[in-house]
Amino acid sequence: MSIVLITLGGTIAMGGVDRGRPGVVTRLSGADLTAAVPGLAELGVPLDVRDVQAVPSASLTYRQVLDVVDVAANAVAAGASGVVVSQGTDTLEESAFLADLVWPHAAPLVFTGAMRNPTLAGPDGPANLLAAIRVAAASEARGLGVLVVLDDEVHAARWVRKTHSTSTATFASPNTGPLGQVIEGEVRVLVRPQRRDPLPPVDRERLDATRVALYPVTLDDDGLLLSGVADTHHGLVVAGFGVGHVPAALAPRLGELAGRMPVLLTSRTGAGSVLRQTYGAVGSETDLQRRGLLNGGLLDPYKGRVLLRLLLAAGLDADALVVALARFR
């Protein structure tokens, strides 16, 4: 049994400052990271450390994330029992979900990071890394898809959200709660959700050329920022109020856009579902669906954008797109 650790950048790997530049920027190698983890050697798990991308998560691209998934898949094919990816937390919920959409293996692929860098008192990186390696090595984690492990909690990539800008307890799954916990070094999986089949392999060139916009609706929104979006993008995700509402004045504009490209309706609240048939006023979820918007269900805006971009890059027609979205919402 062996675990592969793929290291990117992010807070977990920021170990110092560069002269003349404010803030922590120096990147620690995977060897540096593992050397700072108490109890790692006692696990008795062979660890293959690979430094792949030295990039803050805010600068990650879809292609880079998929390249990491390829490295992880090749490692599993070569005999690894599981894979851990360390990266920055800014986009971790999106990159983990992107990976989950295409991960075909039973072996765990576990994402982790840190909220406090190693120059601060009480850095959480070593504890998160140790917990992630424990989960990747645990038979209980097999078949759960891509997981996110921080603060001794095990979350499904499909549901996890970053909910606080600085707290070490920032990662949560508001709709479901965590799948499990790491307790006294033991991985306890408490819930085993249904695993959806992965999407087919992604054409990277087509993905690079596919653009999906995200539009958060706000009070007294006139939709002026949506002008021209159909000329520059192939799809749109709308983060609506509450259960999927927008100002009445915005509804016709969104309907017009839905006639030109897929428009996915989600909620900006961070938890809960877009409804389907409860409200009927202009700008309600029922009205917007009648105008051609696609119901995003429980998909949050960020994961909705990831999913829609992959589906559009796959070249799905309108009917196939509706069926595919229904699998994940």
Side-chain angles (χ1 to χ4, degrees):
M1 179 177 67
S2 64
I3 300 299
V4 171
L5 170 62
I6 301 172
T7 71
L8 306 179
T11 295
I12 193 172
M14 291 182 175
V17 297
D18 284 349
R19 186 173 300 174
R21 297 176 64 185
V24 288
V25 293
T26 305
R27 187 201 183 203
L28 300 175
S29 68
D32 295 327
L33 291 177
T34 55
V37 180
L40 182 57
E42 287 72 24
L43 283 183
V45 177
L47 197 61
D48 179 1
V49 181
R50 306 182 188 183
D51 298 320
V52 177
Q53 298 278 356
V55 59
S57 69
S59 297
L60 279 173
T61 66
Y62 280 51
R63 181 182 284 263
Q64 288 172 322
V65 173
L66 292 174
D67 287 346
V68 167
V69 173
D70 287 344
V71 173
N74 290 335
V76 169
S81 302
V83 180
V84 173
V85 177
S86 67
Q87 70 155 81
T89 61
D90 283 348
T91 60
L92 193 150
E93 65 189 275
E94 291 165 85
S95 56
F97 181 59
L98 172 57
D100 188 52
L101 289 173
V102 298
W103 183 247
H105 301 286
L109 175 55
V110 182
F111 281 69
T112 193
M115 296 301 294
R116 291 180 184 153
N117 72 73
T119 69
L120 300 176
D124 56 326
N128 290 339
L129 192 56
L130 181 62
I133 293 170
R134 288 187 188 277
V135 172
S139 60
E140 293 85 353
R142 292 184 63 82
L144 293 176
V146 176
L147 303 170
V148 173
V149 175
L150 291 95
D151 205 31
D152 282 338
E153 292 187 335
V154 182
H155 295 269
R158 167 66 180 87
W159 301 110
V160 74
R161 299 288 306 273
K162 185 174 182 180
T163 64
H164 194 282
S165 62
T166 59
S167 171
T168 57
T170 178
F171 283 92
S173 298
N175 284 315
T176 64
L179 301 184
Q181 301 175 11
V182 180
I183 304 171
E184 293 184 326
E186 180 186 358
V187 177
R188 300 283 303 277
V189 174
L190 308 176
V191 180
R192 299 193 69 88
Q194 179 184 1
R195 176 81 174 121
R196 293 174 173 84
D197 292 334
L199 298 178
V202 180
D203 183 326
R204 309 293 168 86
E205 298 296 332
R206 188 163 185 168
L207 181 64
D208 288 343
T210 302
R211 294 179 176 176
V212 175
L214 172 58
Y215 185 79
V217 178
T218 57
L219 180 68
D220 199 21
D221 197 330
D222 61 5
L224 182 61
L225 291 176
L226 290 171
S227 298
V229 69
D231 299 322
T232 57
H233 290 73
H234 305 91
L236 173 68
V237 176
V238 176
F241 302 131
V243 298
H245 295 171
V246 304
L250 189 57
R253 184 182 291 269
L254 291 176
E256 178 186 359
L257 287 172
R260 301 178 62 185
M261 64 160 112
V263 179
L264 183 65
L265 179 63
T266 65
S267 172
R268 70 178 198 175
T269 59
S273 178
V274 168
L275 296 182
R276 304 189 65 82
Q277 54 187 11
T278 297
Y279 297 94
V282 176
S284 68
E285 79 284 356
T286 303
D287 175 60
L288 294 174
Q289 288 171 132
R290 188 166 54 245
R291 296 176 189 270
L293 274 71
L294 303 173
N295 189 299
L298 287 162
L299 283 166
D300 66 67
Y302 310 112
K303 290 188 173 70
R305 180 178 178 271
V306 171
L307 177 58
L308 183 58
R309 185 174 173 186
L310 258 64
L311 295 177
L312 290 175
L316 273 63
D317 62 26
D319 291 337
L321 185 65
V322 171
V323 173
L325 283 170
R327 291 175 52 209
F328 294 93
R329 69 186 181 204

